[in-house]
Amino acid sequence: MSVKIGLEIHCPLLVNRKLFCNCIRNNSFCEICKGEPGTYPLLPSEEAIEKYCSVLDYYGITMEKLVFERKHYLYPDLPKGYQLTTRRKKYSSTNEIIEFIALEEDPAAIKGTKILKIDYTRSGNALLEFVTKPCFKTFSDIEEFYNKLEEELILNQIKVKNEPLRCDVNITVRKEGQDKDSKRIEIKNLHSLTNIKKSVTHQIKRLLSLDEKELKGPDETRSYDEATDTTTFSRKKETYVFLKQVNLSATNLKPGNRKLVSVCLIRENLKNKYNLLSQEEIERIIQGNWYEVVEKMENLYQVRKFIHLLKYAEINSYTRTEIITASSLCFQNISFYFLKNLLIFKSFTLEKREEVKIEQVTSSMKNIFGRIEQKRFLLDLEKRYVLPLEEVSRVYTFYK
Amino acid sequence: MNNEEKREIICKVLEGLPIDYSIGIKNAYVSRAYPSTGSSPVLKEYIPSYSSEIYKKLSKIVSYKEGKYHYKNGLIIPEECDEFCRGSSGIFNSKKLFSPIDYSIIGGSSSGAAMNLLLNKTDVSICSDTGGSSRFPVLLSKGILCSFKPGREKIDKNGLIEYVGDLDTPSIMSKNFLNLRNFYHFLSDEKFEEVENVPNLVPKFDNREVDEFLLKHKCIMKEFYKLKSTLYCWSNIRRYDGRRFGVYDNTYPSDFKPCPEFLKKCEIERIYNLKKKEVVSMEVRYKIVRKKIKPILEQITGILRNRYYLRILKFPGIIFPENSNGMSDDRQYFLELENILDLPCILLPSKYPGYYNLFVGPKNSQGKLLSSLFYEKLAAKLPIWKTDEIPVKKILLFKETDVC
């Protein structure tokens, strides 16, 4: 007996705006999100495409042009009657497991049982779909791949932390002495690993108990019920109609600016370079909660080492706002130093709303450093264009 | 009207000042809080939550707005017009619109716009054109009307209920060129520029060569248009069908079924009821034809560029006139081709037989060309509709629910 399992993993993409309109992600909706007649999608958001490019680079998928297609299926969560998704043509994959990664829009969410209510706030969010080859044979393979993928996506600021990955599982079974695989069964909307495990084991058992005739039937789509721990038949597997989305021209894909970092590399680097961090702290950093680690540090020496460590570990994907919130959490003396180093290292430009926090942080400067160091710091800021020139002079006069 | 007076009007329009115009907008352009049905029972209860770009712009230049205007005098009834701007010859109507001049069929999905102009209800009508909707009625109007279909994406069409999103183009219909030119500049946001020293505009052409080439590939071009329009119509009906259930209170009944009852006695029912197998096979065929047609289109554009490029005239594009009046099968085919090739098209009123197609290079400003065309030459030479002859001078922006 042999089992083939393939996955389709949907990852909510961490971007500010929705994919085809200017609405804020998970916050508001407009006529484009609702798919009202007469609306046309705007150009896809650059932020999403940049992240998509870097993901394609990292997972070894090459594609020249990004073309969006209408994928037609009729369901209440899709007010338009079709979903805009990436055309799966003219690409090549060097990845052993992942076949293709698509950028697509999220349908609306449905709530309620008798009267279904549609929540449009989710509709139009950017979504990454990882399609794997049917290469998994056991659940442990799936678990390993799933965990690694999730960690990497969180670490590199691709996935939204709080929202789970949504997974569809495709299963085929071949009994001993048979020439062909059985019918393909797709289980939709599995939100956690435990659900995947339960549904896959249940499905394999069910398939093996079927006759030869039943195994040859048409492909099915099933849904998993958590309460009864069983899968129920929802519909026959349908062929979709794909039509090119006119009015949206193809965009040329360039190699991504952000280079993603592998979790294994960071784990090794953090372990080997300094014996500063415990295993727990390393895991925290990888999960994206690294400012919790900084918060507990007590002296400048530790923080300095930590920054070097981050540099060495090639963690370069943290956003500016995260750094500033982290630094405000730390006690002032350290946070200033921490901020200064990171800002200069990253050559960030500061926005107006962040000025206040900078002032708070730099107010401690007087106590710790001498004048010469202050000057040096300000010159550094000016040189690297971290702060605009006016801002530097303002800060400088403040300390005079 | 002398040139200075004309200029005053142009400036008024461009500056957003109100002028004595009644403007008709096709019902395919949605406007907030008013029913916008596209003359289809599919969108019977649809009240949009936003306004189309064209509607927003036009409402700026109108000082007094009387909401939307519905004709109830028995002349035009909404059900008689074509759904979703489809049906360029008017054959899909249960009752056809007849011209008040000679009682012939006006034809075209914008036939309502033509009707309003002929009855002096409006001065300008903003229509849309997919396969000749705004050009058919003008060709059949015995030289009274003129229309302009610009290239695609020149006028923002956000808010235009789509039939085939790629081919739909907003267009303008009126009785004189000045209106067309002014409104084109106003709607497209292209800067007003006058080109001086443009030489003779009506060159002699021998377009037999193009015709022969086109006739060779006529079948495949027709098939391409037919496949594309039916597929996208099918796609869009599904889209509008979804709206029927979710637009008002964002709720669906749990036994969700798209019921085709409301589609009965509609031409669109035929497309709606296509089986999935048929659609899939059509989609496969469409992709094959699309591949085949690509080199043909390139060849056509090549011919146009080489043969008719008016180097002597220092013109940023080419013009070729069509001299035959009236409608024929070939004419319809050519109208469809114009949209596939994205050719801007001007239809002239009487004295200038037929219509002109402009083939403008991608880098050249269409507005520059048009300003030279309309203002310097044509608008100056042609008899302009006298202001006394237009009866109603109420400043009015209304929606022609009957026009589609």
Side-chain angles (χ1 to χ4, degrees):
Chain A
M1 183 205 81
S2 65
V3 180
K4 277 183 188 174
I5 303 170
L7 301 176
E8 282 173 34
I9 300 173
H10 300 272
C11 163
L13 194 63
L14 181 62
V15 281
N16 291 330
R17 303 273 166 186
K18 288 187 179 180
L19 192 56
F20 293 111
C21 62
N22 288 326
C23 293
I24 297 165
R25 191 183 179 284
N26 267 351
N27 190 29
S28 57
F29 59 87
C30 64
E31 64 271 3
I32 298 175
C33 310
K34 283 168 79 179
E36 286 199 29
T39 51
Y40 298 86
L42 303 180
L43 286 176
S45 78
E46 285 180 13
E47 198 187 351
I49 286 186
E50 205 179 294
K51 285 198 172 180
Y52 178 59
C53 286
S54 48
V55 168
L56 284 182
D57 281 353
Y58 182 68
Y59 290 104
I61 290 159
T62 47
M63 197 165 66
E64 280 186 11
K65 281 182 180 177
L66 175 66
V67 181
F68 285 101
E69 276 188 331
R70 292 175 174 188
K71 179 186 176 184
H72 286 272
Y73 65 90
L74 207 60
Y75 201 67
D77 67 352
L78 257 185
K80 279 186 290 190
Y82 56 80
Q83 183 189 25
L84 288 181
T85 179
T86 314
R87 187 179 70 179
R88 294 176 196 195
K89 274 181 184 175
K90 295 178 184 173
Y91 70 91
S92 60
S93 167
T94 52
N95 198 305
E96 288 175 358
I97 298 172
I98 295 167
E99 173 68 27
F100 186 70
I101 303 167
L103 178 66
E104 58 189 26
E105 59 175 353
D106 211 351
I110 301 172
K111 290 164 187 173
T113 48
K114 281 190 178 179
I115 295 170
L116 306 176
K117 282 195 172 180
I118 302 160
D119 183 9
Y120 285 111
T121 46
R122 204 183 78 177
S123 166
N125 285 350
L127 204 68
L128 284 180
E129 189 190 30
F130 294 82
V131 185
T132 68
K133 292 164 189 170
C135 56
F136 301 104
K137 287 178 180 174
T138 55
F139 176 71
S140 58
D141 293 345
I142 297 174
E143 195 177 11
E144 194 186 329
F145 171 74
Y146 189 94
N147 283 334
K148 197 187 162 192
L149 185 78
E150 193 172 16
E151 273 181 350
E152 274 173 351
L153 293 175
I154 289 175
L155 182 78
N156 291 303
Q157 305 266 320
I158 302 294
K159 181 185 166 288
V160 186
K161 271 184 210 170
N162 307 327
E163 292 176 27
L165 294 173
R166 282 173 268 153
C167 193
D168 300 346
V169 185
N170 287 283
I171 307 168
T172 52
V173 175
R174 187 186 286 188
K175 280 185 183 176
E176 280 174 16
Q178 281 184 343
D179 305 333
K180 286 182 180 177
D181 290 341
S182 70
K183 62 183 174 184
R184 197 172 75 176
I185 283 169
E186 186 177 10
I187 309 164
K188 288 236 172 205
N189 284 332
L190 300 166
H191 290 252
S192 66
L193 260 177
T194 48
N195 277 3
I196 294 173
K197 190 180 182 180
K198 282 177 184 173
S199 60
V200 165
T201 46
H202 172 263
Q203 201 51 232
I204 291 170
K205 274 181 194 173
R206 199 187 69 86
L207 276 173
L208 289 175
S209 66
L210 293 176
D211 303 336
E212 275 188 36
K213 271 188 183 177
E214 285 172 329
L215 278 176
K216 283 176 186 172
D219 296 346
E220 284 176 23
T221 303
R222 299 179 80 88
S223 54
Y224 176 70
D225 188 13
E226 275 188 58
T228 55
D229 193 17
T230 50
T231 58
T232 49
F233 176 81
S234 53
R235 61 173 186 269
K236 283 181 187 174
K237 182 96 179 137
E238 54 184 327
T239 48
Y240 296 112
V241 178
F242 286 98
L243 279 175
K244 194 192 164 194
Q245 172 61 32
V246 285
N247 305 106
L248 257 186
S249 54
T251 43
N252 291 326
L253 293 178
K254 295 168 189 170
N257 293 330
R258 298 151 52 90
K259 282 189 178 174
L260 306 199
V261 199
S262 79
V263 180
C264 304
L265 184 79
I266 285 178
R267 208 171 263 148
E268 275 177 26
N269 284 348
L270 289 176
K271 253 187 193 178
N272 299 337
K273 183 71 181 173
Y274 303 103
N275 293 323
L276 188 72
L277 304 167
S278 65
Q279 188 63 35
E280 235 181 75
E281 284 170 335
I282 289 172
E283 290 306 319
R284 254 184 224 169
I285 292 168
I286 286 168
Q287 281 164 17
N289 302 328
W290 56 281
Y291 52 85
E292 288 175 13
V293 179
V294 185
E295 205 179 3
K296 286 177 186 173
M297 289 181 179
E298 286 167 357
N299 56 39
L300 270 172
Y301 175 72
Q302 274 187 343
V303 176
R304 193 179 291 169
K305 268 205 163 184
F306 181 68
I307 289 160
H308 279 293
L309 195 63
L310 287 185
K311 273 188 201 175
Y312 179 74
E314 295 180 19
I315 299 178
N316 52 5
S317 56
Y318 294 108
T319 55
R320 188 171 58 232
T321 44
E322 267 209 354
I323 286 166
I324 285 164
T325 48
S327 59
S328 64
L329 277 171
C330 305
F331 60 87
Q332 282 188 329
N333 298 350
I334 289 175
S335 65
F336 160 68
Y337 185 80
F338 181 76
L339 186 73
K340 177 197 154 188
N341 269 279
L342 270 179
L343 283 180
I344 290 169
F345 172 56
K346 301 290 172 200
S347 72
F348 284 128
T349 50
L350 299 170
E351 287 171 16
K352 275 188 180 175
R353 60 194 166 83
E354 288 158 4
E355 279 172 20
V356 187
K357 280 180 185 172
I358 295 293
E359 272 186 18
Q360 283 173 4
V361 172
T362 44
S363 64
S364 61
M365 194 164 71
K366 210 174 179 180
N367 304 325
I368 313 157
F369 300 103
R371 264 205 167 171
I372 301 163
E373 261 201 315
Q374 280 181 40
K375 267 191 181 177
R376 198 184 292 159
F377 170 58
L378 290 168
L379 280 170
D380 266 2
L381 287 179
E382 195 187 323
K383 262 185 195 175
R384 311 227 179 189
Y385 303 105
V386 174
L387 285 172
L389 204 67
E390 291 170 12
E391 185 60 29
V392 171
S393 60
R394 200 170 66 82
V395 175
Y396 192 65
T397 48
F398 177 72
Y399 288 109
K400 265 187 175 178
Chain B
M1 193 186 282
N2 57 30
N3 280 353
E4 282 180 10
E5 282 173 346
K6 280 179 207 167
R7 249 171 239 213
E8 267 181 28
I9 294 174
I10 293 163
C11 291
K12 270 188 176 179
V13 172
L14 294 172
E15 285 167 17
L17 295 169
I19 41 164
D20 291 349
Y21 271 101
S22 54
I23 306 158
I25 312 170
K26 196 171 179 172
N27 197 16
Y29 296 98
V30 302
S31 52
R32 197 180 170 167
Y34 285 102
S36 303
T37 61
S39 291
S40 175
V42 181
L43 293 171
K44 202 176 178 183
E45 293 162 8
Y46 173 58
I47 295 171
S49 67
Y50 74 108
S51 287
S52 56
E53 287 300 316
I54 284 182
Y55 191 83
K56 277 183 205 167
K57 273 189 178 174
L58 286 175
S59 56
K60 275 182 199 170
I61 62 163
V62 178
S63 61
Y64 169 69
K65 195 161 68 171
E66 206 185 69
K68 285 185 186 175
Y69 195 85
H70 299 262
Y71 287 135
K72 287 175 185 172
N73 54 7
L75 270 174
I76 308 163
I77 307 163
E79 285 80 35
E80 287 177 10
C81 297
D82 291 341
E83 283 181 288
F84 298 133
C85 329
R86 65 191 300 279
S88 48
S89 57
I91 49 165
F92 301 121
N93 297 337
S94 55
K95 292 170 189 174
K96 271 116 190 164
L97 282 179
F98 293 101
S99 163
I101 305 163
D102 59 353
Y103 300 104
S104 61
I105 298 165
I106 295 179
S109 76
S110 291
S111 48
M115 187 75 152
N116 286 331
L117 283 166
L118 290 171
L119 292 169
N120 282 341
K121 299 269 182 190
T122 54
D123 298 333
V124 184
S125 276
I126 313 294
C127 351
S128 81
D129 196 309
T130 311
S133 297
S134 71
R135 286 164 284 171
F136 263 85
V138 175
L139 282 168
L140 296 169
S141 70
K142 311 289 173 198
I144 295 173
L145 303 177
C146 58
S147 80
F148 172 56
K149 180 194 83 73
R152 280 200 291 274
E153 314 301 335
K154 288 287 174 188
I155 298 174
D156 194 341
K157 63 175 175 181
N158 184 32
L160 168 63
I161 295 173
E162 59 180 330
Y163 168 45
V164 188
D166 197 12
L167 301 180
D168 293 340
T169 7
S171 56
I172 308 155
M173 201 189 283
S174 181
K175 277 180 183 169
N176 64 48
F177 271 106
L178 205 63
N179 287 348
L180 295 187
R181 183 176 167 282
N182 291 350
F183 276 90
Y184 172 68
H185 279 297
F186 178 69
L187 294 174
S188 67
D189 279 337
E190 282 195 15
K191 281 180 186 174
F192 174 72
E193 287 175 65
E194 282 181 38
V195 184
E196 288 178 357
N197 303 323
V198 179
N200 186 17
L201 254 175
V202 193
K204 286 175 184 174
F205 285 106
D206 181 18
N207 55 358
R208 270 177 295 176
E209 208 168 323
V210 180
D211 285 349
E212 276 170 22
F213 182 81
L214 293 180
L215 287 171
K216 261 188 196 176
H217 304 285
K218 192 176 168 179
C219 291
I220 198 167
M221 297 290 249
K222 273 202 158 185
E223 196 188 354
F224 173 72
Y225 185 82
K226 204 178 174 186
L227 284 169
K228 188 169 187 175
S229 55
T230 27
L231 271 173
Y232 277 94
C233 187
W234 178 85
S235 164
N236 287 329
I237 299 167
R238 260 156 183 65
R239 175 176 173 176
Y240 305 143
D241 181 47
R243 295 254 44 84
R244 261 174 62 77
F245 296 91
V247 76
Y248 298 110
D249 48 357
N250 300 344
T251 53
Y252 276 75
S254 57
D255 53 340
F256 168 73
K257 274 178 193 172
C259 58
E261 279 177 20
F262 60 93
L263 286 166
K264 274 177 187 172
K265 294 177 185 175
C266 297
E267 169 57 25
I268 265 174
E269 192 186 2
R270 185 181 63 80
I271 297 170
Y272 186 88
N273 289 335
L274 281 174
K275 286 174 187 170
K276 203 159 193 181
K277 277 183 186 174
E278 289 173 320
V279 177
V280 171
S281 65
M282 208 184 272
E283 180 205 350
V284 173
R285 179 70 192 147
Y286 169 62
K287 280 173 184 170
I288 294 166
V289 172
R290 202 172 58 187
K291 269 187 187 176
K292 272 187 187 176
I293 213 168
K294 233 182 174 181
I296 298 169
L297 290 177
E298 277 170 17
Q299 248 172 308
I300 294 169
T301 45
I303 287 175
L304 295 173
R305 229 172 242 150
N306 293 334
R307 303 279 171 182
Y308 298 105
Y309 195 83
L310 307 178
R311 282 175 201 160
I312 315 153
L313 301 180
K314 292 175 186 173
F315 215 60
I318 61 159
I319 319 168
F320 57 101
E322 286 286 311
N323 291 320
S324 56
N325 269 319
M327 287 314 305
S328 65
D329 201 21
D330 287 349
R331 173 56 63 84
Q332 185 172 356
Y333 153 66
F334 199 76
L335 289 176
E336 286 162 6
L337 188 73
E338 274 169 15
N339 271 31
I340 295 168
L341 285 172
D342 191 14
L343 291 173
C345 176
I346 307 163
L347 285 104
L348 307 177
S350 54
K351 289 192 181 180
Y352 285 82
Y355 63 99
Y356 287 82
N357 293 291
L358 298 177
F359 187 72
V360 194
K363 287 177 186 173
N364 298 311
S365 160
Q366 204 172 132
K368 213 172 177 182
L369 174 69
L370 285 166
S371 57
S372 69
L373 256 177
F374 287 134
Y375 189 72
E376 292 293 334
K377 294 291 170 186
L378 294 176
K381 282 182 185 176
L382 288 169
I384 291 166
W385 206 261
K386 287 174 189 174
T387 44
D388 311 335
E389 290 174 42
I390 305 168
V392 188
K393 282 298 156 199
K394 221 178 188 181
I395 301 162
L396 191 68
L397 176 63
F398 63 84
K399 184 123 173 173
E400 300 158 356
T401 42
D402 35 34
V403 183
C404 189

